[in-house]
Amino acid sequence: MSKKKTAAIILGAGMGTRMKSQKPKVMHHIGGRPMINHLLATLDVIKCDHTVVVVGPGMDDVAAAVSPHKTAVQQERLGTADAVKAGVDALGPFKGNILILYGDTPLITEQTLNAMLAERDEKNNPAVVVLGFEPMEPGDYGRLVTDDEDGELIKIVEAREAAPEELAIPLCNSGVMVVDGSLLDGLLSRIKNDNAKGEYYLTDIVGLAREDGFSASVVEGDEEELVGINSRYELAQVETILQDRLRERAMKAGVTLVDPASVYFSFDTQIDPDTIVEPNVYFGTNVTIGRGAHIKAFSHIDGAYIGNGANVGPFARLRPGANIGDGARVGNFVEIKNSDVEQGAKVNHLSYVGDARIGAGANIGAGTITCNYDGFMKSHTDIGEGAFIGSNSALVAPVKIGDGAVIGAGSTITNDVEADALALARPEQKNIKGAAAKLRDKKRALKEKSKKGSPE
Ligand code: UD1
Ligand code: CA
């Protein structure tokens, strides 16, 4: 890692017209958070000292998302050099390495950034290090013109300005660079906009640095890291690449994914070793799972904690604040929100549990509902350790079921039940001897009569 201090300027002023969106492009999510936050996280890993995000006018939501990092507003879209200038002005005097990144190219890795910073420290001390790559389709990318002998970077030519032999160069400009902070401001101030687009091209700094006797060089990167997002289609492509990385990370950490491609993670999903995740499971943000848990197929898990050896699913829905204890079981078609299901408790079938505590070892029968909302207020249900709630019970909160209590099936419980009591809150059963047969005879006779009366 470089011993010099590092600052980063992230360009994000573009609205991203092709996204056809009300929100700035860099605010679109991948892996459960805005794409800009992925870049900031990578900069954290390389211990970047200062970061400025360049935004367009009125992009207050970007400023909020990147806080406490600074934002600088580029008033008019005059080109990449002008955008970087806005960032440099906000950064203030800085003599270390300045990384220039694009907010819509969020997959760049810390390894690549470190390789570029290391190249800046090489003995020929390049003023500019550019991240190049050889895309499948070079198209509109700027072309990197290098010296045949020493491989040094001579200049960057924009595709529109390139001569045919330059257009044939496979090595392209990713846009990412590292520049000597003591030179950047001076170089930027000499860039002109007398070109095809009438914009201030950041790419001109390579030629200008060389005019001053400095060198420039190229580090080559992988196209997969450099996919830019300009459309919803590319957003989905980047999501796919990111998901593959997250799946690989989970498997390397000792998690079994039976069918990795069908499991969706968030950037912060945390799973301990020996947990098994079956196909078609979705993890929203803020999920933590212990060791040896089993997450069965088609479960949707968001903002939940799942303890060691717990069993969840198939078809379970865990919402924020679901806290599933060690060895607990949450079965099919069960929804749990803001509730503690303590160690070894079971909610195996077709239940809604919201704003509740289910004590250790309690058993919640099929179809049990905690009625936590009366249309105005949310209330709490407390179920004691080892309690048994019979199937199809409605527990009308606020209500407390004591340890070891038993609730008869089909009860609607509105009053607290003390420990070890049996509560039955349903009409008593009455059997009337022979009444079913009598009823059948009566109905049959009625049907016969109506058939005779009706015309064929
Ligand atoms: C730029 C490079 C090109 C490179 C390509 C890689 C220049 C002149 N050209 O071209 O060599 O191959 O990126 O993708 O730098 N932006 C601002 N303010 C502006 C202009 C741009 O913030 O005034 C931001 C955009 O939001 C975007 C990034 O800078 O994130 C790149 O701008 P864009 O106009 O897409 O540059 P390209 O023409 O693609
Ligand atoms: Ca572009």
Side-chain angles (χ1 to χ4, degrees):
M1 218 202 321
S2 176
K3 285 178 291 291
K4 293 195 195 85
K5 290 238 174 205
T6 309
I9 295 173
I10 304 177
L11 305 192
M15 252 319 273
T17 343
R18 279 191 279 154
M19 296 295 283
K20 302 215 165 61
S21 175
Q22 303 272 55
K23 60 181 177 187
K25 181 158 71 175
V26 299
M27 290 303 289
H28 286 267
H29 282 213
I30 51 171
R33 67 177 164 188
M35 62 177 93
I36 185 79
N37 294 91
H38 287 268
L39 272 178
L40 294 175
T42 308
L43 290 172
D44 248 11
V45 178
I46 67 158
K47 301 199 159 55
C48 182
D49 301 283
H50 307 276
T51 300
V52 179
V53 180
V54 180
V55 297
M59 293 190 186
D60 299 340
D61 44 351
V62 181
V66 306
S67 166
H69 299 290
K70 276 191 199 171
T71 45
V73 180
Q74 184 194 20
Q75 291 300 343
E76 267 184 281
R77 225 188 119 92
L78 301 177
T80 44
D82 180 69
V84 173
K85 181 88 173 80
V88 168
D89 291 348
L91 184 65
F94 183 80
K95 294 205 179 323
N97 288 319
I98 300 185
L99 262 167
I100 297 165
L101 300 165
Y102 289 176
D104 63 3
T105 310
L107 291 174
I108 192 155
T109 61
E110 65 253 30
Q111 288 83 354
T112 300
L113 296 182
N114 279 330
M116 294 177 69
L117 291 168
E119 176 68 21
R120 268 277 298 129
D121 291 338
E122 286 293 297
K123 49 190 176 305
N124 59 344
N125 188 33
V128 184
V129 176
V130 171
L131 181 62
F133 71 124
E134 294 195 8
M136 301 280 277
E137 290 167 34
D140 288 339
Y141 287 114
R143 304 299 202 272
L144 301 183
V145 181
T146 51
D147 188 312
D148 287 342
E149 311 224 310
D150 56 17
E152 278 192 7
L153 181 60
I154 297 171
K155 61 175 178 173
I156 307 177
V157 202
E158 287 306 286
R160 291 182 190 218
E161 263 106 345
E165 66 275 15
E166 289 169 333
L167 270 183
I169 297 172
L171 189 60
C172 290
N173 176 26
S174 69
V176 177
M177 15 180 126
V178 186
V179 187
D180 181 340
S182 56
L183 302 176
L184 180 57
D185 199 27
L187 292 169
L188 289 174
S189 64
R190 283 155 57 200
I191 292 176
K192 301 196 179 66
N193 64 350
D194 51 353
N195 51 47
K197 276 171 122 183
E199 285 188 2
Y200 296 91
Y201 289 170
L202 176 64
T203 44
D204 287 352
I205 66 167
V206 171
L208 290 168
R210 285 180 63 95
E211 274 175 32
D212 293 350
F214 296 102
S215 71
S217 59
V218 181
V219 164
E220 266 197 70
D222 182 3
E223 183 171 14
E224 202 178 73
E225 286 183 33
L226 299 168
V227 189
I229 299 171
N230 298 295
S231 63
R232 305 274 176 167
Y233 181 74
E234 286 164 349
L235 182 70
Q237 285 182 315
V238 166
E239 180 78 59
T240 302
I241 297 168
L242 178 65
Q243 288 298 333
D244 275 339
R245 286 187 189 174
L246 295 171
R247 291 163 188 148
E248 194 181 332
R249 183 173 83 181
M251 290 185 279
K252 277 188 176 150
V255 178
T256 294
L257 303 182
V258 177
D259 177 21
S262 73
V263 177
Y264 279 77
F265 288 103
S266 285
F267 70 96
D268 60 351
T269 309
Q270 205 189 308
I271 309 182
D272 284 346
D274 282 330
T275 283
I276 297 171
V277 180
E278 291 187 3
N280 294 298
V281 172
Y282 178 92
F283 294 105
T285 54
N286 197 21
V287 170
T288 304
I289 303 179
R291 259 184 190 273
H294 195 154
I295 312 300
K296 295 180 181 164
F298 295 98
S299 292
H300 189 283
I301 297 167
D302 187 19
Y305 171 84
I306 298 171
N308 299 328
N311 256 271
V312 171
F315 296 98
R317 170 146 192 235
L318 300 185
R319 290 170 52 200
N323 185 4
I324 311 303
D326 292 351
R329 288 173 167 268
V330 175
N332 36 239
F333 306 106
V334 171
E335 173 180 350
I336 298 190
K337 181 216 79 169
N338 187 35
S339 295
D340 293 330
V341 177
E342 292 178 357
Q343 191 168 342
K346 294 180 193 156
V347 194
N348 273 337
H349 335 266
L350 299 153
S351 282
Y352 171 66
V353 175
D355 304 311
R357 173 186 82 105
I358 296 175
N363 190 316
I364 310 301
T368 297
I369 307 287
T370 57
C371 309
N372 61 327
Y373 184 54
D374 61 7
F376 298 91
M377 305 278 284
K378 299 265 171 73
S379 302
H380 192 258
T381 300
D382 192 273
I383 299 172
E385 288 184 15
F388 182 95
I389 312 296
S391 295
N392 199 31
S393 291
L395 308 174
V396 182
V399 72
K400 190 171 173 358
I401 313 295
D403 292 350
V406 172
I407 308 296
S411 292
T412 296
I413 300 294
T414 50
N415 297 322
D416 289 355
V417 178
E418 60 269 38
D420 292 324
L422 167 67
L424 299 166
R426 59 190 188 201
E428 215 172 303
Q429 184 170 330
K430 201 162 99 184
N431 291 357
I432 306 166
K433 214 173 171 179
K438 248 188 234 162
L439 184 73
R440 252 190 320 269
D441 290 346
K442 196 168 133 192
K443 294 281 181 197
R444 219 174 264 137
L446 272 172
K447 201 172 173 184
E448 285 303 309
K449 205 171 140 195
S450 73
K451 261 193 207 157
K452 278 183 200 139
S454 64
E456 285 299 297

